[in-house]
Amino acid sequence: MSRDPRGGDPREFRGDRPARPLSDRERNGSRTEVPDWKSDEPTMLQLYGLTNLNPTEWQETEDAEVGIFSSPRLDGGTGPTAVGGGTKGDESDPLGLKRGGVLASNPDVSSETRRERLKDSLEQRSGALKVLVQSEWDRFVAVKGTTETVYQVMKEGPLAPEAEFGVKEVKETLRVVTQRADAVFQPILDARTKAERLKSTLGVFERSKFFFNLPGILGEAVEAGKYDVALQAYKKGRYILGSRPAQLLGLPTATTPQQQLQQKRIYDKVWGQVEKIIGDLRATLGKRLRDTKRNLDEVEKTIEILLELDPTDDPVWIFFDTQHRHILHLLRTSADASSSRIRIAMDQIAEEQLEERRMAADLKTSVASFEALEGERMRETGAGHEIWKLIYDLVHNLSEVIVQTLPSFWKVAKGYMEGKYQKKNDTSASASRRSPTQCRVMTQDIVTLYVSLLSQFFTLSSSMTSQPPLNPASGSPDPNAHPLPPFVPPSSNAPTICHWLLKILNEISECVSEVGALELAGEASASMKELVASTRWRFEEAICGAWVRDAKVFYRLETWQPDADDPSVTAFLRQVAAFQRFCAISAYRIAGGSEERAIASMGSASGSTVSSKSRDVDFPSEFVKKIQSAFLDGLYAFLDGLVHVAFSDPETIFGTATTKKGERVDYGRPKEVDVRNVDTRILLTVSNLTHLRTVSIPRMVNQFQVAFRLDMSSDVQMLMDVTDQLDKILFDDYVKRKSADVAKIIKKGVLGGTVDWFEAPKPTEVHPFIYDALLSLVLVHAQVSATARPLVARTLGSLVEELAKVSLEAFSQVERFGMGGMLQATLEIEFMHQTLSQHVSPNADATLQSIYRTISQSYYRKPSPNGAGELQQELEGLKRTLMASRRSTALQFLAFKAPRKTKEEMEAGKSTDGAPQAE
């Protein structure tokens, strides 16, 4: 087989030659890294066998004997073709100095020779190539056609673009295999990875359980409300983290920045959870502090825990600010709501409720409660009690706010001012921003608002002197006026007012007492004490005003029912005494006195026995004057009412007395005592005045003097004078009307012309008009006896005096008496004198003696030889006639006889009241 003229193996150009094995460089599809000959001078010098880059002489090398045509060929031989096969810049000859036999040539060969040899070599190669092309042309053409055919077939078949040039199916298969492998082996690999991580983590956890369990410990403790446990764990973790952080993880000390960063991330992650829990705990505790329903123990514990958690805001001031706002808000809203309800209730009071008869009916019910077993309940449900309940609720709600909130607030404030609830060495801005003395200011604000709200509602004043209202008639201040404060329901009566004001005052006093026990500093304590004093004074004004107001209409309670112990007086006097006593006791308690001493002084019948255990109270003089004025004004009002009721129809006085026409009202008295008769009412009123003068007023005044330690002698004297004046007015009115009837009879009988006193015959009997006059007195006696027996003697005595005066006046008008007329007149006067001798007063006796003298002076005696004897004889006959007349009328005028003495009176040598018998 001929060799190619280029010196190569012809098999290299045939398609059937065996394939050359791929080198690692070709198999990997990438070129090996080419040395950097420019920078690596020693390697280059060694490659070319040089000692430096600027040689000056030829240096022998191992291939020095090889000629220019003796370089290795592709087929393994030697020849010039091998040299030409390479190009300048190969990695084995970067400078191209080895090729072409340049370095292999002998340095002694001339350049001409070298050119010739190179030219021959090139010609040989060109000729060899031409021979190769000519001899292998058909084969070249066949190979090209076959190649193009195969390429076209493969392009349309397995190497089509749609099949991604034959690799699509393979890629799909590989993709499916990969997915299946991932589905099968990936979970295993993931689980193995997780297991390795978990194993590593558990190892760290085991070595540092506390640190990694700290968030769980804190979370469980906080959720269970064990805040002290959470605080202790947090403080422990914070201490270790700050002093010995390496102990937390249990890992070797980090030596590289990466290890340090990793450990720091662990610290931050775990401690971040801790801080988040603690932050939530701070927020929870702060919310608890803002919860105004927490008790004091919870508040103190919460503050102490928060102080250990380094809060941004001072927890104690969170409590102070929240509580301060909450208490003030509660006070204002409670007062506004209650005041609104009270105003609405006041506006709904009907006009008929203010009608005097209606108020008198309500007053009667309240007065009846003084002796009832459920009197307290009756007064509590008296007229206007709905409004009083709202007023009491106002005071109770405000006081309850103070009592329930202020003690805990002040205890925390006091502790804070004493250094409690403050962290040691705390120099934060929140610690120095607010002064502890602000707590005292907040407390004062609360107390001031409480006092202000009550003062505003009750229109309180620090002064105990109020300007009296003007008198409508004179336009000047009326010192005796007792106006009602505006907060008092106008339909309410004095007993109900007293009951509720005492209850309200007790509520305020209890609140002030509890606040006083807190030992508030300075102005707050003084404000509370001043509140009580002002409230007492204002309530005293209300009681006194209602006291006098009701006393003026108290007469409408007079139903003329007889007193159980003394039928000559009405039960009205007991009501008056009970009313005065109740109001005085209430005023005494409002002023500051104890109920025990008040009842001991004014609740007994005599009022002279006071328990030794009860302590005297020094009341302010203003209180005493105010109460004394109301007490006296009430008595005067009662006296005025007695006069008014005596002259008024009972059916127009009290509402329950109204009856149907013809129906008789049961006044608890005999039928002959008809209180619709003005005479009966006057007698009962006079009897009541007598009882007041002799029993009731002295007793009431004495009780009042003992209770308030007063000397009311001058006031008593004035009361007695007024009582006597009223008594005289009423009694004189009664006597005047009764004496008018008697006078009419006497005058008609003496001066009516039926008797000729000069020509009258000798008397044989008493004239009928004398009987009529005396019978009228019998009727008066019966009326007085049935109505007010103690007034019999007084009434008949006065009527006898009037009868004597009328008789004197009538007989004085007779010009002259004859013997018969003189004896008749004497008989009749003596008959009256002896019949009424039990009721003849000295004044009446003197008047009767004047009648005798008048008759004697008017007697005209006719001349007679035996005039003196005849007169004596006629007088003896007159006496017999007189005695006969007395005997015949003894039964008719039995009422005028003196009552028989009782056994006790006889033994005591006493006699009943009455005038001495005439001789």
Side-chain angles (χ1 to χ4, degrees), residues 688-759:
N688 286 344
L689 287 172
T690 302
H691 191 276
L692 284 172
R693 181 176 62 253
T694 58
V695 180
S696 298
I697 290 179
R699 180 187 299 168
M700 287 187 289
V701 172
N702 181 58
Q703 292 175 344
F704 192 86
Q705 289 182 135
V706 172
F708 291 94
R709 292 180 292 173
L710 294 171
D711 181 10
M712 300 177 61
S713 302
S714 59
D715 297 317
V716 172
Q717 185 58 49
M718 186 176 296
L719 277 170
M720 295 304 176
D721 293 342
V722 172
T723 304
D724 291 340
Q725 292 175 8
L726 295 177
D727 177 274
K728 186 175 184 305
I729 292 173
L730 291 173
F731 188 76
D732 289 351
D733 179 80
Y734 178 80
V735 171
K736 181 179 180 181
R737 282 183 287 104
K738 294 302 178 182
S739 62
D741 296 337
V742 176
K744 185 177 181 180
I745 295 173
I746 295 297
K747 288 181 179 181
K748 182 179 180 181
V750 175
L751 303 175
T754 56
V755 179
D756 185 358
W757 296 102
F758 184 74
E759 298 294 341

Side-chain angles (χ1 to χ4, degrees), residues 270-287:
V270 177
W271 195 251
Q273 295 178 356
V274 171
E275 288 296 343
K276 183 178 183 302
I277 295 173
I278 295 300
D280 295 340
L281 177 58
R282 290 193 192 98
T284 301
L285 294 178
K287 187 176 180 180

Side-chain angles (χ1 to χ4, degrees), residues 588-602:
Y588 184 91
R589 294 173 60 188
I590 289 291
S594 67
E595 183 179 7
E596 177 188 6
R597 190 178 189 279
I599 294 176
S601 300
M602 294 178 282

Side-chain angles (χ1 to χ4, degrees), residues 11 23 55 290 336 375 557 606 651 669 764 787-788:
R11 289 176 299 178
S23 64
R290 293 179 176 89
D336 292 343
L557 273 64
S606 62
E651 295 185 3
R669 296 184 177 276
T764 57
T787 305

